[in-house]
Amino acid sequence: MKVVLENLTKRFPSRNKKGEDVIAVNNFNFEIPDGQLIGLLGPSGCGKSTTLNLISGLETPTSGKIYFGDEDVTNLPPEARGVGLVFQNYALYPHLTVEENIIFPLQNLKGDKKMTKEAMHDKAVETAKLVQIDGLMERKPKELSGGQQQRVAIARALVKIPRVLLLDEPLSNLDARLRLQTREELRRIQRDTGVTTIFVTHDQEEAMSISDLIIVMKDGVVHQIGKPQDVYDEPANLFVAQFLGTPQINVFEGRIQGGKVWIGNEAVLDVPGKADRDVWVGIRPEGFIPDENGPFTCKMDRVEVMGRDVSVVSTHEKMTGKSIRSIVSAENKFKPGQEAVRFSLKPYKVFLFDRESEERV
Ligand code: ATP
Protein backbone atom coordinates (compact mmCIF):
# COMPACT_ATOMS: atom_id res chain seq x y z
CA MET A 1 0.00 0.00 0.00
CA LYS A 2 1.58 3.28 -1.02
CA VAL A 3 1.21 6.20 1.38
CA VAL A 4 1.05 9.75 0.06
CA LEU A 5 1.60 12.79 2.24
CA GLU A 6 0.50 16.00 0.56
CA ASN A 7 1.39 19.42 2.01
CA LEU A 8 1.04 17.87 5.44
CA THR A 9 1.35 20.39 8.28
CA LYS A 10 0.77 20.08 12.01
CA ARG A 11 0.78 23.16 14.18
CA PHE A 12 0.43 22.92 17.95
CA PRO A 13 -0.86 25.98 19.83
CA SER A 14 1.78 27.75 21.85
CA ARG A 15 2.39 26.89 25.45
CA ASN A 16 5.03 29.53 26.02
CA LYS A 17 4.73 33.19 26.91
CA LYS A 18 5.96 34.35 23.52
CA GLY A 19 2.82 32.85 22.04
CA GLU A 20 4.56 31.15 19.14
CA ASP A 21 2.93 28.03 17.72
CA VAL A 22 5.06 24.91 17.33
CA ILE A 23 5.10 23.72 13.75
CA ALA A 24 5.87 20.07 14.40
CA VAL A 25 5.47 19.05 10.74
CA ASN A 26 5.94 21.71 8.09
CA ASN A 27 4.56 21.11 4.60
CA PHE A 28 5.62 17.50 4.24
CA ASN A 29 5.29 16.12 0.69
CA PHE A 30 6.25 12.55 -0.04
CA GLU A 31 5.05 9.36 -1.66
CA ILE A 32 6.07 6.23 0.26
CA PRO A 33 6.25 3.39 -2.27
CA ASP A 34 4.30 0.18 -1.68
CA GLY A 35 6.07 -2.55 0.29
CA GLN A 36 9.08 -0.53 1.37
CA LEU A 37 10.64 0.12 4.74
CA ILE A 38 11.09 3.83 5.36
CA GLY A 39 13.30 5.15 8.14
CA LEU A 40 12.10 8.49 9.51
CA LEU A 41 15.17 9.98 11.09
CA GLY A 42 16.09 13.13 12.96
CA PRO A 43 17.09 14.62 16.29
CA SER A 44 14.74 14.74 19.27
CA GLY A 45 11.80 17.07 18.74
CA CYS A 46 12.11 17.24 14.94
CA GLY A 47 8.56 15.97 14.36
CA LYS A 48 9.06 12.27 13.70
CA SER A 49 6.44 11.02 16.15
CA THR A 50 3.98 13.69 15.07
CA THR A 51 4.38 12.58 11.43
CA LEU A 52 3.72 8.99 12.44
CA ASN A 53 0.72 10.01 14.56
CA LEU A 54 -0.72 11.90 11.61
CA ILE A 55 -0.39 8.82 9.41
CA SER A 56 -1.98 6.60 12.07
CA GLY A 57 -4.82 9.05 12.74
CA LEU A 58 -3.91 9.67 16.38
CA GLU A 59 -3.40 13.32 15.40
CA THR A 60 -5.31 15.36 12.81
CA PRO A 61 -3.32 17.60 10.49
CA THR A 62 -3.73 21.38 10.56
CA SER A 63 -3.65 21.23 6.77
CA GLY A 64 -2.73 18.81 4.03
CA LYS A 65 -3.86 15.34 3.02
CA ILE A 66 -2.92 11.72 3.62
CA TYR A 67 -3.72 8.98 1.11
CA PHE A 68 -3.40 5.21 1.46
CA GLY A 69 -3.26 4.11 -2.16
CA ASP A 70 -5.90 6.30 -3.83
CA GLU A 71 -8.05 6.56 -0.72
CA ASP A 72 -8.08 9.85 1.18
CA VAL A 73 -7.76 8.79 4.82
CA THR A 74 -7.13 12.28 6.26
CA ASN A 75 -10.39 12.32 8.19
CA LEU A 76 -10.67 8.62 9.03
CA PRO A 77 -10.29 7.60 12.69
CA PRO A 78 -7.29 5.35 13.52
CA GLU A 79 -9.34 2.14 13.72
CA ALA A 80 -10.67 2.66 10.19
CA ARG A 81 -7.24 3.15 8.62
CA GLY A 82 -5.95 -0.39 8.99
CA VAL A 83 -2.61 0.53 10.52
CA GLY A 84 -0.51 -1.56 12.88
CA LEU A 85 1.25 0.45 15.57
CA VAL A 86 4.24 -0.43 17.72
CA PHE A 87 5.64 1.99 20.27
CA GLN A 88 8.81 2.14 22.32
CA ASN A 89 6.89 0.89 25.35
CA TYR A 90 5.47 -2.37 24.25
CA ALA A 91 2.19 -1.69 26.12
CA LEU A 92 1.28 -5.37 26.33
CA TYR A 93 -1.61 -6.33 28.59
CA PRO A 94 0.21 -7.76 31.64
CA HIS A 95 -2.61 -10.06 32.74
CA LEU A 96 -3.02 -11.66 29.30
CA THR A 97 -0.86 -14.44 27.84
CA VAL A 98 1.19 -13.93 24.70
CA GLU A 99 -1.53 -15.59 22.63
CA GLU A 100 -4.29 -13.47 24.20
CA ASN A 101 -2.25 -10.32 23.58
CA ILE A 102 -1.77 -11.21 19.93
CA ILE A 103 -5.43 -12.13 19.45
CA PHE A 104 -6.69 -8.96 21.11
CA PRO A 105 -7.13 -6.86 17.92
CA LEU A 106 -9.09 -9.72 16.28
CA GLN A 107 -11.70 -9.93 19.02
CA ASN A 108 -13.55 -6.77 18.09
CA LEU A 109 -13.98 -7.56 14.41
CA LYS A 110 -17.58 -7.21 13.31
CA GLY A 111 -19.84 -8.52 10.56
CA ASP A 112 -18.29 -10.77 7.93
CA LYS A 113 -14.83 -10.14 9.42
CA LYS A 114 -15.82 -11.73 12.76
CA MET A 115 -13.60 -14.72 13.52
CA THR A 116 -14.20 -17.98 15.39
CA LYS A 117 -12.01 -18.92 18.37
CA GLU A 118 -10.22 -21.57 16.29
CA ALA A 119 -9.56 -19.15 13.43
CA MET A 120 -8.17 -16.58 15.87
CA HIS A 121 -5.93 -19.20 17.48
CA ASP A 122 -4.63 -20.31 14.06
CA LYS A 123 -3.98 -16.71 13.06
CA ALA A 124 -2.17 -16.00 16.34
CA VAL A 125 0.06 -19.05 15.87
CA GLU A 126 0.78 -18.11 12.25
CA THR A 127 1.76 -14.57 13.24
CA ALA A 128 3.76 -15.73 16.26
CA LYS A 129 5.74 -18.03 13.96
CA LEU A 130 6.60 -15.08 11.78
CA VAL A 131 8.24 -13.29 14.71
CA GLN A 132 9.51 -16.58 16.19
CA ILE A 133 7.69 -16.55 19.50
CA ASP A 134 5.31 -19.45 18.81
CA GLY A 135 6.95 -21.45 21.61
CA LEU A 136 5.97 -18.84 24.21
CA MET A 137 2.22 -18.57 23.65
CA GLU A 138 1.16 -19.43 27.22
CA ARG A 139 3.55 -17.04 28.97
CA LYS A 140 2.66 -13.69 30.49
CA PRO A 141 4.62 -10.59 29.36
CA LYS A 142 6.63 -10.40 32.61
CA GLU A 143 8.00 -13.88 31.87
CA LEU A 144 9.55 -12.63 28.62
CA SER A 145 12.75 -10.76 27.79
CA GLY A 146 12.54 -7.22 26.37
CA GLY A 147 13.20 -8.50 22.86
CA GLN A 148 10.51 -11.16 23.16
CA GLN A 149 8.02 -8.61 24.48
CA GLN A 150 8.74 -6.34 21.57
CA ARG A 151 8.16 -9.23 19.17
CA VAL A 152 4.78 -9.87 20.80
CA ALA A 153 3.95 -6.20 20.23
CA ILE A 154 4.97 -6.55 16.57
CA ALA A 155 2.89 -9.73 16.20
CA ARG A 156 -0.10 -7.91 17.70
CA ALA A 157 0.38 -5.08 15.19
CA LEU A 158 0.67 -7.55 12.31
CA VAL A 159 -2.14 -9.97 13.17
CA LYS A 160 -4.84 -8.03 11.34
CA ILE A 161 -2.51 -7.67 8.33
CA PRO A 162 -2.27 -3.89 8.45
CA ARG A 163 -2.17 -1.79 5.31
CA VAL A 164 0.68 0.14 6.88
CA LEU A 165 2.92 -0.76 9.82
CA LEU A 166 4.09 2.16 11.94
CA LEU A 167 6.95 1.70 14.40
CA ASP A 168 7.92 4.49 16.81
CA GLU A 169 11.40 3.90 18.26
CA PRO A 170 10.54 0.21 18.69
CA LEU A 171 14.03 -0.84 19.72
CA SER A 172 14.92 1.92 22.19
CA ASN A 173 14.31 -0.16 25.29
CA LEU A 174 16.51 -3.05 24.20
CA ASP A 175 20.16 -3.51 25.07
CA ALA A 176 22.74 -3.05 22.33
CA ARG A 177 23.04 -6.69 21.26
CA LEU A 178 19.31 -7.35 21.30
CA ARG A 179 18.74 -4.12 19.44
CA LEU A 180 21.00 -5.25 16.64
CA GLN A 181 19.37 -8.66 16.47
CA THR A 182 15.82 -7.30 16.62
CA ARG A 183 16.42 -4.74 13.89
CA GLU A 184 17.56 -7.50 11.56
CA GLU A 185 14.45 -9.49 12.52
CA LEU A 186 12.29 -6.47 11.80
CA ARG A 187 13.80 -6.22 8.35
CA ARG A 188 13.15 -9.91 7.71
CA ILE A 189 9.55 -9.71 8.96
CA GLN A 190 8.95 -6.65 6.80
CA ARG A 191 10.34 -8.43 3.73
CA ASP A 192 8.31 -11.58 4.47
CA THR A 193 5.04 -9.69 4.88
CA GLY A 194 5.64 -6.98 2.27
CA VAL A 195 3.79 -4.48 4.49
CA THR A 196 4.70 -0.85 3.84
CA THR A 197 6.50 0.13 7.04
CA ILE A 198 7.51 3.44 8.53
CA PHE A 199 10.11 3.24 11.22
CA VAL A 200 10.91 6.20 13.46
CA THR A 201 14.32 6.45 15.08
CA HIS A 202 16.87 9.05 16.12
CA ASP A 203 19.63 6.48 15.60
CA GLN A 204 21.12 7.11 12.18
CA GLU A 205 22.97 3.81 12.04
CA GLU A 206 19.79 1.88 12.79
CA ALA A 207 17.85 3.71 10.10
CA MET A 208 20.64 3.38 7.54
CA SER A 209 21.09 -0.34 8.11
CA ILE A 210 17.53 -1.53 7.52
CA SER A 211 15.71 1.11 5.47
CA ASP A 212 15.00 1.13 1.75
CA LEU A 213 14.67 4.89 1.98
CA ILE A 214 15.45 7.35 4.74
CA ILE A 215 13.79 10.69 5.40
CA VAL A 216 15.96 13.09 7.37
CA MET A 217 13.98 15.72 9.32
CA LYS A 218 14.85 18.72 11.44
CA ASP A 219 12.50 21.25 13.05
CA GLY A 220 9.48 19.82 11.26
CA VAL A 221 11.09 20.18 7.85
CA VAL A 222 12.26 17.37 5.58
CA HIS A 223 15.91 17.97 4.70
CA GLN A 224 16.58 14.99 2.46
CA ILE A 225 14.95 11.81 1.20
CA GLY A 226 16.80 8.99 -0.50
CA LYS A 227 18.45 5.61 -0.31
CA PRO A 228 20.65 5.48 2.82
CA GLN A 229 23.92 5.19 0.89
CA ASP A 230 22.96 7.98 -1.53
CA VAL A 231 22.11 10.35 1.30
CA TYR A 232 25.41 9.51 3.03
CA ASP A 233 27.39 9.95 -0.19
CA GLU A 234 25.57 13.07 -1.38
CA PRO A 235 24.29 15.04 1.62
CA ALA A 236 22.14 17.99 0.58
CA ASN A 237 23.29 20.27 3.37
CA LEU A 238 25.54 20.56 6.38
CA PHE A 239 22.91 19.29 8.81
CA VAL A 240 22.40 16.02 6.89
CA ALA A 241 26.15 15.56 6.46
CA GLN A 242 26.66 15.95 10.20
CA PHE A 243 23.70 13.82 11.19
CA LEU A 244 24.77 10.73 9.23
CA GLY A 245 27.97 8.83 9.95
CA THR A 246 30.00 7.81 12.99
CA PRO A 247 32.44 9.23 13.75
CA GLN A 248 30.87 12.48 12.56
CA ILE A 249 32.06 14.30 9.49
CA ASN A 250 34.87 16.79 10.26
CA VAL A 251 33.94 20.39 9.46
CA PHE A 252 36.41 23.21 8.75
CA GLU A 253 36.08 26.87 8.00
CA GLY A 254 37.43 27.28 4.50
CA ARG A 255 37.07 29.06 1.17
CA ILE A 256 37.08 28.41 -2.52
CA GLN A 257 39.60 30.60 -4.31
CA GLY A 258 41.11 30.23 -7.75
CA GLY A 259 39.62 26.76 -8.30
CA LYS A 260 41.04 25.38 -5.06
CA VAL A 261 39.67 24.66 -1.62
CA TRP A 262 41.68 26.46 1.04
CA ILE A 263 41.76 25.62 4.70
CA GLY A 264 43.93 28.23 6.43
CA ASN A 265 46.91 28.85 4.17
CA GLU A 266 46.88 25.44 2.51
CA ALA A 267 45.18 24.56 -0.78
CA VAL A 268 43.87 21.09 0.11
CA LEU A 269 41.88 20.14 -3.00
CA ASP A 270 41.34 21.21 -6.61
CA VAL A 271 37.79 22.22 -7.53
CA PRO A 272 38.18 23.64 -11.03
CA GLY A 273 35.35 25.87 -12.20
CA LYS A 274 33.82 26.50 -8.78
CA ALA A 275 33.23 30.17 -7.99
CA ASP A 276 35.15 31.85 -5.18
CA ARG A 277 33.21 31.94 -1.87
CA ASP A 278 33.46 31.18 1.82
CA VAL A 279 32.46 27.59 2.63
CA TRP A 280 32.25 24.98 5.32
CA VAL A 281 34.48 22.10 4.27
CA GLY A 282 33.15 18.73 5.44
CA ILE A 283 35.57 15.79 5.31
CA ARG A 284 34.37 12.29 6.19
CA PRO A 285 36.71 10.42 8.59
CA GLU A 286 37.46 7.91 5.83
CA GLY A 287 38.40 10.71 3.42
CA PHE A 288 41.90 11.29 4.82
CA ILE A 289 44.97 9.54 3.41
CA PRO A 290 48.14 9.89 5.53
CA ASP A 291 50.72 11.21 3.09
CA GLU A 292 54.09 12.76 3.98
CA ASN A 293 53.75 15.07 0.98
CA GLY A 294 50.02 15.68 1.37
CA PRO A 295 48.67 19.24 1.13
CA PHE A 296 46.75 19.30 4.44
CA THR A 297 48.71 19.58 7.68
CA CYS A 298 47.12 18.91 11.06
CA LYS A 299 48.52 18.84 14.56
CA MET A 300 48.85 15.28 15.79
CA ASP A 301 47.13 14.50 19.07
CA ARG A 302 46.99 10.70 19.37
CA VAL A 303 46.34 7.47 17.51
CA GLU A 304 43.59 5.17 18.79
CA VAL A 305 43.85 1.52 17.84
CA MET A 306 40.65 -0.02 16.47
CA GLY A 307 42.07 -3.27 15.09
CA ARG A 308 41.96 -3.31 11.31
CA ASP A 309 41.87 0.50 11.27
CA VAL A 310 43.25 3.23 13.48
CA SER A 311 41.62 6.49 14.40
CA VAL A 312 44.01 9.40 14.07
CA VAL A 313 42.93 12.23 16.35
CA SER A 314 44.37 15.61 15.37
CA THR A 315 43.54 19.31 15.55
CA HIS A 316 43.59 22.32 13.24
CA GLU A 317 42.97 26.00 13.92
CA LYS A 318 40.18 26.11 11.33
CA MET A 319 38.29 23.07 12.60
CA THR A 320 34.88 23.30 14.24
CA GLY A 321 34.27 20.82 17.06
CA LYS A 322 36.79 19.45 19.52
CA SER A 323 39.11 17.46 17.27
CA ILE A 324 39.52 15.89 13.85
CA ARG A 325 38.91 12.18 13.54
CA SER A 326 40.29 10.32 10.56
CA ILE A 327 39.94 6.57 10.12
CA VAL A 328 42.88 5.06 8.26
CA SER A 329 44.28 1.59 7.76
CA ALA A 330 46.38 0.24 10.65
CA GLU A 331 49.12 -0.36 8.07
CA ASN A 332 49.94 3.35 8.28
CA LYS A 333 52.74 3.85 10.77
CA PHE A 334 53.07 6.93 12.94
CA LYS A 335 56.17 7.92 14.88
CA PRO A 336 55.96 8.31 18.65
CA GLY A 337 55.99 12.01 19.48
CA GLN A 338 55.12 12.97 15.90
CA GLU A 339 53.88 16.57 16.05
CA ALA A 340 52.25 17.04 12.67
CA VAL A 341 50.36 14.71 10.41
CA ARG A 342 49.88 15.42 6.71
CA PHE A 343 47.04 14.16 4.63
CA SER A 344 45.88 14.10 1.07
CA LEU A 345 42.11 13.93 0.66
CA LYS A 346 39.73 11.68 -1.26
CA PRO A 347 37.75 14.20 -3.35
CA TYR A 348 34.49 12.22 -3.15
CA LYS A 349 34.64 12.32 0.65
CA VAL A 350 34.92 16.10 0.78
CA PHE A 351 31.72 18.20 0.71
CA LEU A 352 31.48 21.96 0.45
CA PHE A 353 28.62 23.95 1.96
CA ASP A 354 27.73 27.60 1.61
CA ARG A 355 28.82 29.43 4.77
CA GLU A 356 25.46 31.23 5.10
CA SER A 357 22.76 28.87 3.84
CA GLU A 358 24.71 25.68 4.70
CA GLU A 359 23.42 24.16 1.44
CA ARG A 360 25.81 22.04 -0.60
CA VAL A 361 27.71 23.96 -3.30
P1 ATP B 1 11.51 12.54 19.98
O1 ATP B 1 12.54 11.81 19.21
O2 ATP B 1 12.07 13.30 21.15
O3 ATP B 1 10.30 11.72 20.34
P2 ATP B 1 10.14 13.69 17.70
O4 ATP B 1 11.02 13.95 16.53
O5 ATP B 1 9.31 12.47 17.65
O6 ATP B 1 10.98 13.74 19.04
P3 ATP B 1 7.67 15.12 18.08
O7 ATP B 1 7.26 14.34 19.29
O8 ATP B 1 6.97 14.84 16.83
O9 ATP B 1 9.24 14.99 17.84
O10 ATP B 1 7.54 16.67 18.44
C1 ATP B 1 7.81 17.70 17.50
C2 ATP B 1 7.58 19.06 18.15
O11 ATP B 1 6.20 19.24 18.44
C3 ATP B 1 8.30 19.25 19.46
O12 ATP B 1 8.76 20.58 19.53
C4 ATP B 1 7.25 18.98 20.51
O13 ATP B 1 7.51 19.68 21.70
C5 ATP B 1 6.00 19.48 19.82
N1 ATP B 1 4.78 18.76 20.24
C6 ATP B 1 4.54 17.44 20.08
N2 ATP B 1 3.32 17.12 20.56
C7 ATP B 1 2.79 18.27 21.03
C8 ATP B 1 1.52 18.62 21.65
N3 ATP B 1 0.58 17.71 21.85
N4 ATP B 1 1.34 19.90 22.00
C9 ATP B 1 2.27 20.85 21.80
N5 ATP B 1 3.47 20.59 21.21
C10 ATP B 1 3.72 19.33 20.83
Side-chain angles (χ1 to χ4, degrees), residues 12-13 15 22 24 42-51 59 169 200 202:
F12 289 110
R15 289 215 180 114
V22 177
S44 182
C46 73
K48 306 179 294 289
S49 299
T50 305
T51 305
E59 295 275 7
E169 302 263 5
V200 162
H202 61 267

mmCIF file of all heavy atoms in Angstrom, residues 12-13 15 22 24 42-51 59 169 200 202, ligand 1:
data_model
loop_
_atom_site.group_PDB
_atom_site.id
_atom_site.type_symbol
_atom_site.label_atom_id
_atom_site.label_comp_id
_atom_site.label_asym_id
_atom_site.label_seq_id
_atom_site.Cartn_x
_atom_site.Cartn_y
_atom_site.Cartn_z
ATOM 1 N N PHE A 12 0.980 23.022 16.602
ATOM 2 C CA PHE A 12 0.430 22.921 17.949
ATOM 3 C C PHE A 12 0.346 24.331 18.539
ATOM 4 O O PHE A 12 1.295 25.114 18.390
ATOM 5 C CB PHE A 12 1.332 22.066 18.847
ATOM 6 C CG PHE A 12 1.309 20.605 18.512
ATOM 7 C CD1 PHE A 12 2.422 19.992 17.933
ATOM 8 C CD2 PHE A 12 0.183 19.839 18.773
ATOM 9 C CE1 PHE A 12 2.416 18.637 17.627
ATOM 10 C CE2 PHE A 12 0.176 18.485 18.479
ATOM 11 C CZ PHE A 12 1.280 17.885 17.904
ATOM 12 N N PRO A 13 -0.759 24.655 19.223
ATOM 13 C CA PRO A 13 -0.864 25.984 19.827
ATOM 14 C C PRO A 13 0.245 26.196 20.843
ATOM 15 O O PRO A 13 0.717 25.239 21.458
ATOM 16 C CB PRO A 13 -2.228 25.974 20.507
ATOM 17 C CG PRO A 13 -2.756 24.596 20.411
ATOM 18 C CD PRO A 13 -1.898 23.792 19.507
ATOM 19 N N ARG A 15 2.549 27.041 24.007
ATOM 20 C CA ARG A 15 2.390 26.885 25.455
ATOM 21 C C ARG A 15 3.336 27.849 26.168
ATOM 22 O O ARG A 15 3.398 27.871 27.371
ATOM 23 C CB ARG A 15 2.742 25.445 25.856
ATOM 24 C CG ARG A 15 1.700 24.456 25.400
ATOM 25 C CD ARG A 15 1.566 23.344 26.421
ATOM 26 N NE ARG A 15 0.564 22.383 25.999
ATOM 27 C CZ ARG A 15 0.847 21.139 25.669
ATOM 28 N NH1 ARG A 15 2.079 20.701 25.722
ATOM 29 N NH2 ARG A 15 -0.120 20.330 25.306
ATOM 30 N N VAL A 22 4.022 25.856 17.731
ATOM 31 C CA VAL A 22 5.064 24.909 17.332
ATOM 32 C C VAL A 22 4.618 24.270 16.023
ATOM 33 O O VAL A 22 3.524 23.697 15.963
ATOM 34 C CB VAL A 22 5.238 23.802 18.389
ATOM 35 C CG1 VAL A 22 6.270 22.772 17.920
ATOM 36 C CG2 VAL A 22 5.637 24.389 19.731
ATOM 37 N N ALA A 24 5.194 21.350 14.207
ATOM 38 C CA ALA A 24 5.875 20.068 14.396
ATOM 39 C C ALA A 24 6.168 19.399 13.059
ATOM 40 O O ALA A 24 7.174 18.700 12.913
ATOM 41 C CB ALA A 24 5.038 19.152 15.274
ATOM 42 N N GLY A 42 15.796 11.736 12.618
ATOM 43 C CA GLY A 42 16.085 13.131 12.955
ATOM 44 C C GLY A 42 16.289 13.268 14.444
ATOM 45 O O GLY A 42 15.965 12.365 15.208
ATOM 46 N N PRO A 43 16.828 14.423 14.863
ATOM 47 C CA PRO A 43 17.086 14.621 16.288
ATOM 48 C C PRO A 43 15.795 14.743 17.079
ATOM 49 O O PRO A 43 14.725 14.958 16.503
ATOM 50 C CB PRO A 43 17.876 15.936 16.322
ATOM 51 C CG PRO A 43 17.574 16.621 15.055
ATOM 52 C CD PRO A 43 17.207 15.581 14.048
ATOM 53 N N SER A 44 15.899 14.656 18.377
ATOM 54 C CA SER A 44 14.737 14.739 19.267
ATOM 55 C C SER A 44 13.960 16.035 19.011
ATOM 56 O O SER A 44 14.552 17.100 18.874
ATOM 57 C CB SER A 44 15.240 14.693 20.705
ATOM 58 O OG SER A 44 14.150 14.734 21.568
ATOM 59 N N GLY A 45 12.646 15.895 18.910
ATOM 60 C CA GLY A 45 11.798 17.075 18.736
ATOM 61 C C GLY A 45 11.643 17.538 17.302
ATOM 62 O O GLY A 45 11.057 18.590 17.048
ATOM 63 N N CYS A 46 12.144 16.771 16.333
ATOM 64 C CA CYS A 46 12.108 17.239 14.942
ATOM 65 C C CYS A 46 10.771 16.965 14.271
ATOM 66 O O CYS A 46 10.534 17.409 13.157
ATOM 67 C CB CYS A 46 13.233 16.606 14.128
ATOM 68 S SG CYS A 46 12.952 14.867 13.776
ATOM 69 N N GLY A 47 9.890 16.212 14.935
ATOM 70 C CA GLY A 47 8.565 15.975 14.359
ATOM 71 C C GLY A 47 8.329 14.575 13.847
ATOM 72 O O GLY A 47 7.331 14.314 13.168
ATOM 73 N N LYS A 48 9.209 13.646 14.190
ATOM 74 C CA LYS A 48 9.061 12.267 13.698
ATOM 75 C C LYS A 48 7.778 11.625 14.228
ATOM 76 O O LYS A 48 6.983 11.082 13.464
ATOM 77 C CB LYS A 48 10.253 11.398 14.141
ATOM 78 C CG LYS A 48 11.597 11.941 13.774
ATOM 79 C CD LYS A 48 12.710 11.026 14.263
ATOM 80 C CE LYS A 48 12.853 10.915 15.756
ATOM 81 N NZ LYS A 48 13.375 12.101 16.453
ATOM 82 N N SER A 49 7.608 11.682 15.555
ATOM 83 C CA SER A 49 6.438 11.017 16.152
ATOM 84 C C SER A 49 5.154 11.678 15.673
ATOM 85 O O SER A 49 4.165 10.996 15.420
ATOM 86 C CB SER A 49 6.500 11.079 17.673
ATOM 87 O OG SER A 49 7.637 10.421 18.120
ATOM 88 N N THR A 50 5.185 12.999 15.541
ATOM 89 C CA THR A 50 3.980 13.689 15.068
ATOM 90 C C THR A 50 3.630 13.221 13.656
ATOM 91 O O THR A 50 2.457 12.966 13.349
ATOM 92 C CB THR A 50 4.193 15.219 15.111
ATOM 93 O OG1 THR A 50 4.591 15.581 16.426
ATOM 94 C CG2 THR A 50 2.926 15.962 14.747
ATOM 95 N N THR A 51 4.631 13.069 12.795
ATOM 96 C CA THR A 51 4.379 12.582 11.433
ATOM 97 C C THR A 51 3.720 11.208 11.478
ATOM 98 O O THR A 51 2.724 10.945 10.791
ATOM 99 C CB THR A 51 5.709 12.498 10.639
ATOM 100 O OG1 THR A 51 6.351 13.757 10.684
ATOM 101 C CG2 THR A 51 5.463 12.101 9.190
ATOM 102 N N GLU A 59 -3.358 11.856 15.473
ATOM 103 C CA GLU A 59 -3.396 13.321 15.403
ATOM 104 C C GLU A 59 -4.066 13.712 14.089
ATOM 105 O O GLU A 59 -3.944 12.984 13.102
ATOM 106 C CB GLU A 59 -1.974 13.915 15.374
ATOM 107 C CG GLU A 59 -1.149 13.697 16.604
ATOM 108 C CD GLU A 59 -1.389 14.735 17.696
ATOM 109 O OE1 GLU A 59 -2.315 15.568 17.542
ATOM 110 O OE2 GLU A 59 -0.660 14.679 18.700
ATOM 111 N N GLU A 169 10.238 4.257 17.425
ATOM 112 C CA GLU A 169 11.396 3.896 18.264
ATOM 113 C C GLU A 169 11.212 2.515 18.889
ATOM 114 O O GLU A 169 11.332 2.364 20.111
ATOM 115 C CB GLU A 169 11.596 4.941 19.379
ATOM 116 C CG GLU A 169 11.796 6.349 18.877
ATOM 117 C CD GLU A 169 13.253 6.771 18.796
ATOM 118 O OE1 GLU A 169 14.136 5.932 19.044
ATOM 119 O OE2 GLU A 169 13.504 7.938 18.451
ATOM 120 N N VAL A 200 10.366 4.959 12.913
ATOM 121 C CA VAL A 200 10.909 6.204 13.459
ATOM 122 C C VAL A 200 12.088 5.911 14.374
ATOM 123 O O VAL A 200 12.000 5.042 15.232
ATOM 124 C CB VAL A 200 9.823 6.953 14.269
ATOM 125 C CG1 VAL A 200 10.443 7.989 15.191
ATOM 126 C CG2 VAL A 200 8.839 7.625 13.343
ATOM 127 N N HIS A 202 15.904 7.953 16.156
ATOM 128 C CA HIS A 202 16.868 9.048 16.125
ATOM 129 C C HIS A 202 18.272 8.491 15.896
ATOM 130 O O HIS A 202 19.237 9.225 15.868
ATOM 131 C CB HIS A 202 16.809 9.859 17.424
ATOM 132 C CG HIS A 202 17.134 9.037 18.613
ATOM 133 N ND1 HIS A 202 16.172 8.407 19.373
ATOM 134 C CD2 HIS A 202 18.310 8.684 19.142
ATOM 135 C CE1 HIS A 202 16.755 7.725 20.333
ATOM 136 N NE2 HIS A 202 18.065 7.866 20.212
HETATM 137 P P1 ATP B 1 11.510 12.536 19.982
HETATM 138 O O1 ATP B 1 12.542 11.806 19.206
HETATM 139 O O2 ATP B 1 12.066 13.302 21.151
HETATM 140 O O3 ATP B 1 10.301 11.721 20.337
HETATM 141 P P2 ATP B 1 10.137 13.685 17.703
HETATM 142 O O4 ATP B 1 11.021 13.955 16.535
HETATM 143 O O5 ATP B 1 9.310 12.473 17.651
HETATM 144 O O6 ATP B 1 10.979 13.740 19.040
HETATM 145 P P3 ATP B 1 7.672 15.115 18.079
HETATM 146 O O7 ATP B 1 7.256 14.344 19.290
HETATM 147 O O8 ATP B 1 6.970 14.843 16.825
HETATM 148 O O9 ATP B 1 9.237 14.989 17.844
HETATM 149 O O10 ATP B 1 7.543 16.669 18.444
HETATM 150 C C1 ATP B 1 7.805 17.700 17.496
HETATM 151 C C2 ATP B 1 7.579 19.058 18.149
HETATM 152 O O11 ATP B 1 6.195 19.240 18.440
HETATM 153 C C3 ATP B 1 8.303 19.252 19.461
HETATM 154 O O12 ATP B 1 8.760 20.579 19.526
HETATM 155 C C4 ATP B 1 7.245 18.981 20.506
HETATM 156 O O13 ATP B 1 7.512 19.678 21.701
HETATM 157 C C5 ATP B 1 6.003 19.483 19.817
HETATM 158 N N1 ATP B 1 4.785 18.764 20.239
HETATM 159 C C6 ATP B 1 4.537 17.442 20.083
HETATM 160 N N2 ATP B 1 3.323 17.122 20.556
HETATM 161 C C7 ATP B 1 2.785 18.267 21.033
HETATM 162 C C8 ATP B 1 1.520 18.617 21.655
HETATM 163 N N3 ATP B 1 0.581 17.708 21.850
HETATM 164 N N4 ATP B 1 1.339 19.904 21.999
HETATM 165 C C9 ATP B 1 2.268 20.850 21.802
HETATM 166 N N5 ATP B 1 3.466 20.592 21.212
HETATM 167 C C10 ATP B 1 3.724 19.327 20.826
#
